[in-house]
Amino acid sequence: RRKSGELDAGYDETSGVWELIVRYVGDIEFLKNIGIRIVYLINNYAILYVKTDNIEMITQMEQIIYIEKPKRLYYSVVSGKRATGVDFLINEGYKGKGVFTACIDSGIDFSHPEFRKNDGSTRIFCMWDQSDNRGTAPQGYDFGSVYFSDEINMMLEKGVRTNNDFSGHGTHVAGIMAGNSGIASESEIIVVKLGRARSGGFPLTSEIMMAVNFVINIGVVVNRPIAVNLSIGNNYGSHDGNSLLETFIDTAVDYGRSVMCVGAGNEGDAQIHTSGKLSESSEEVVELEVGEFQTSFSAQIWKEFVDDFSVRIRIPGFYSEELIVSDDVVQSFSLTDMQIKIINGYPSPYSRYQEIYIDFIPDKEEGFVRPGIWRIILTGKKIVVGQYDMWLPAGVGRVKNTRFLRPDPYTTLTIPSTSRKVISVGAYDVTTGRAAIFTGRGYTRLNRSVKPDLVAPGVDIISAMSGGGYTALSGTSMACPFVTGIAAVLMEKYILSGTDSYLYGEKMKEFLIKNARKLLGQNKVPDEIYGYGGVYVPRRQ
């Protein structure tokens, strides 16, 4: 666990406590009597903080329907306004006034002029910094600090800087979505800086669930429509929309008058996904190149549980040496310089698919995985469907040359853009009218839900830079806030005027899908790369 980045996620070494995501029924308040801390989320989801010795007991309780361990998450305007058609509405005076926009990301530079009114005061309604324990935690949570607009204004007057966005990602995203030069430039902004202070610095899926819970509840309590932006994701899961993170987000979209937009990720050309189809007695060899200086990483194999096939791993440099993967739930192999741990999963109450998780762990904490070509050999035994998919970590979870040598660029959406009810957004280049080479591609695995839903400008987008000034960045992280801002503008025009009080949730998604434009490189509608096309707001609606 200590040496594996993924297996360690959610565990606090000092306290010996695991952070667990659960679905429950009935009353679980009694868990507090045995020292378990609870953060209640909407729709019978919760985060539990449980000592290792109590986990087995928790799994046996009839109130606990299902448990998942959190995973790590990685962070993946002017011409864009014209390309999406929203400039016409903005010029008519629709700028998101009376609507909340929410940016759940790496924080925000709240002192930047893009997020201040003409009198210098802030446009931020509130911000929850999950990494800052100097102030008061939001009600219902016991970590981080929440700052409302009056406190932010006091800090601005005193020149105090907190909630700094060190990566600049959140500031750039928020600038596109709702900066003074952005789309919804008169909306009030809610910010969550993800990730408690910890080694490695990457937020967990449990923290994003709490962030979503936090911002959605504000919209309900204040009774305002809210457009939420998630330009963040990971690669861990079956990519079919059935993890607790994905299903929770789907239920959250049904709560209040909300729209949630999620970036499709930047893994389309990263060679981190491969797939194939086995028949009985057939054999496939998947070649995985591990680059120099690769630290601990994992590979996931996802298959139908009804299918049986054997797995062997051939080690680079020792072509006669193979590791035979058994049906044991946990299996470990010790090599001279590293370990390989394999975990055989089972279907869950929400998914019929099976995961075979392979963890490559150097012996030394600062060591590296053996470089070279690893071969994962699959042989069909009893095959009903035969389809398999493999994924490597997204983003910074791997070095550049760690990749599959026979990659499949499709089904490279990051999670939670695979959630059913969110608006999943890919990226295209306004100057060429074609999809960005990096954009995450669909559809979802096996159930073939159409994802992404649409694409938006995401190449060389100029927006606010943390610390002041502006910079150009590319990614679906930049495309997603275009759609979030457009949703906020449309909510102002229709919901707040009473013209259409129900333009949120699935109805907003269908409105945007119906009006999406077919782009140059798009072969069909819908399409695995473009979804239904480029987001567009027609003048006549």
Side-chain angles (χ1 to χ4, degrees):
R1 175 188 52 75
R2 289 191 184 98
K3 297 174 183 176
S4 167
E6 192 56 60
L7 292 180
D8 200 48
Y11 182 70
D12 186 322
E13 184 105 42
T14 303
S15 63
V17 170
W18 283 94
E19 185 171 308
L20 302 175
I21 303 166
V22 302
R23 290 198 74 175
Y24 68 92
V25 292
D27 184 5
I28 60 171
E29 188 70 9
F30 68 91
L31 293 175
K32 293 181 179 178
N33 296 329
I34 55 175
I36 295 174
R37 189 158 51 89
I38 306 170
V39 175
Y40 289 103
L41 307 180
I42 57 179
N43 297 321
N44 284 75
Y45 290 80
I47 310 298
L48 303 184
Y49 296 87
V50 184
K51 284 190 174 292
T52 303
D53 293 344
N54 287 332
I55 290 178
E56 185 65 28
M57 175 184 64
I58 293 294
T59 66
Q60 304 302 319
M61 291 179 174
E62 62 183 15
Q63 295 92 338
I64 303 299
I65 301 174
Y66 192 61
I67 301 176
E68 274 187 3
K69 190 178 78 68
K71 289 90 178 177
R72 280 196 172 94
L73 288 163
Y74 302 104
Y75 292 112
S76 70
V77 181
V78 174
S79 61
K81 287 181 185 177
R82 286 198 300 268
T84 60
V86 73
D87 57 341
F88 175 72
L89 279 183
I90 293 172
N91 291 336
E92 283 191 334
Y94 295 103
K95 301 177 182 180
K97 189 173 183 178
V99 177
F100 283 134
T101 51
C103 183
I104 299 173
D105 212 288
S106 64
I108 193 169
D109 179 358
F110 62 81
S111 66
H112 199 289
E114 285 291 317
F115 311 113
R116 300 171 74 167
K117 301 174 185 176
N118 290 335
D119 63 4
S121 62
T122 187
R123 288 185 44 230
I124 298 172
F125 179 82
C126 71
M127 58 184 179
W128 176 22
D129 183 347
Q130 294 183 342
S131 68
D132 176 11
N133 292 313
R134 293 173 294 178
T136 303
Q139 186 175 0
Y141 310 88
D142 59 1
F143 66 95
S145 299
V146 64
Y147 300 93
F148 287 89
S149 57
D150 55 347
E151 297 169 284
I152 297 171
N153 284 327
M154 287 178 60
M155 288 188 283
L156 288 171
E157 290 173 8
K158 295 178 180 179
V160 176
R161 294 179 64 90
T162 188
N163 204 56
N164 288 324
D165 177 16
F166 298 110
S167 75
H169 189 273
T171 298
H172 198 275
V173 167
I176 299 167
M177 174 186 74
N180 292 333
S181 303
I183 309 297
S185 59
E186 291 185 3
S187 67
E188 285 191 274
I189 307 167
I190 303 171
V191 176
V192 179
K193 179 178 180 178
L194 286 170
R196 282 164 287 187
R198 64 164 64 85
S199 175
F202 296 111
L204 302 176
T205 49
S206 52
E207 290 160 353
I208 203 170
M209 291 170 70
M210 287 185 273
V212 168
N213 197 76
F214 173 78
V215 301
I216 292 290
N217 272 322
I218 290 176
V220 171
V221 170
V222 182
N223 192 26
R224 284 196 203 174
I226 182 168
V228 183
N229 192 91
L230 290 173
S231 290
I232 189 170
N234 73 6
N235 229 12
Y236 188 92
S238 180
H239 293 70
D240 60 3
N242 287 320
S243 73
L244 289 193
L245 171 63
E246 294 159 298
T247 58
F248 170 74
I249 286 176
D250 282 339
T251 66
V253 174
D254 291 336
Y255 199 70
R257 295 176 293 171
S258 63
V259 172
M260 192 165 303
C261 303
V262 183
N266 305 326
E267 310 302 325
D269 65 339
Q271 299 177 280
I272 47 75
H273 171 246
T274 190
S275 65
K277 194 158 188 176
L278 283 172
S279 57
E280 291 192 13
S281 301
S282 69
E283 181 176 282
E284 291 208 12
V285 179
V286 176
E287 293 185 313
L288 166 61
E289 180 181 6
V290 175
E292 296 280 351
F293 310 114
Q294 173 67 61
T295 55
S296 171
F297 78 102
S298 63
Q300 312 160 54
I301 306 172
W302 286 89
K303 60 184 270 296
E304 293 269 359
F305 187 63
V306 70
D307 290 332
D308 286 331
F309 53 71
S310 67
V311 180
R312 307 185 329 263
I313 301 173
R314 189 170 293 164
I315 303 168
F318 299 87
Y319 296 108
S320 61
E321 186 176 352
E322 289 184 350
L323 309 178
I324 310 299
V325 179
S326 71
D327 293 330
D328 295 342
V329 175
V330 180
Q331 193 175 5
S332 295
F333 299 96
S334 293
L335 308 181
T336 55
D337 53 352
M338 59 176 291
Q339 297 179 13
I340 297 176
K341 183 174 287 292
I342 297 168
I343 303 173
N344 282 300
Y346 288 91
S348 78
Y350 310 102
S351 174
R352 67 179 187 269
Y353 307 126
Q354 178 185 16
E355 174 196 16
I356 301 172
Y357 178 87
I358 306 172
D359 212 1
F360 298 84
I361 307 172
D363 273 343
K364 298 178 181 178
E365 285 196 32
E366 297 181 357
F368 303 106
V369 175
R370 185 180 300 177
I373 309 299
W374 293 72
R375 291 171 173 85
I376 302 172
I377 304 164
L378 309 176
T379 304
K381 295 165 70 176
K382 177 187 173 184
I383 300 296
V384 176
V385 178
Q387 175 70 33
Y388 70 86
D389 290 84
M390 295 189 194
W391 283 277
L392 300 174
V396 299
R398 67 184 197 290
V399 298
K400 183 177 180 180
N401 288 332
T402 296
R403 55 186 178 160
F404 291 115
L405 297 185
R406 183 181 57 84
D408 177 358
Y410 295 96
T411 323
T412 49
L413 304 155
T414 51
I415 297 168
S417 70
T418 43
S419 301
R420 292 176 180 84
K421 293 186 178 181
V422 304
I423 301 174
S424 306
V425 185
Y428 78 95
D429 188 337
V430 171
T431 60
T432 65
R434 296 180 180 275
I437 189 172
F438 55 75
T439 190
R441 304 173 187 202
Y443 298 138
T444 61
R445 183 179 182 271
L446 289 185
N447 59 21
R448 307 296 289 166
S449 297
V450 176
K451 292 288 178 180
D453 295 293
L454 37 76
V455 293
V459 177
D460 293 331
I461 306 299
I462 297 174
S463 182
M465 182 169 64
S466 184
Y470 299 82
T471 188
L473 296 175
S474 299
T476 61
S477 290
M478 286 68 246
C480 187
F482 272 101
V483 180
T484 312
I486 288 170
V489 168
L490 290 170
M491 285 170 142
E492 178 194 3
K493 178 174 181 179
Y494 288 97
I495 296 178
L496 298 187
S497 69
T499 306
D500 186 345
S501 299
Y502 304 109
L503 189 62
Y504 57 87
E506 295 274 58
K507 188 170 186 178
M508 175 67 79
K509 179 159 73 170
E510 290 305 309
F511 178 94
L512 295 174
I513 283 173
K514 179 180 176 64
N515 291 299
R517 295 193 302 175
K518 188 175 180 181
L519 296 174
L520 285 178
Q522 192 170 353
N523 297 319
K524 60 184 186 294
V525 179
D527 179 90
E528 292 93 335
I529 304 175
Y530 296 86
Y532 288 91
V535 64
Y536 189 72
V537 182
R539 294 196 174 198
R540 294 184 179 180
Q541 303 152 39

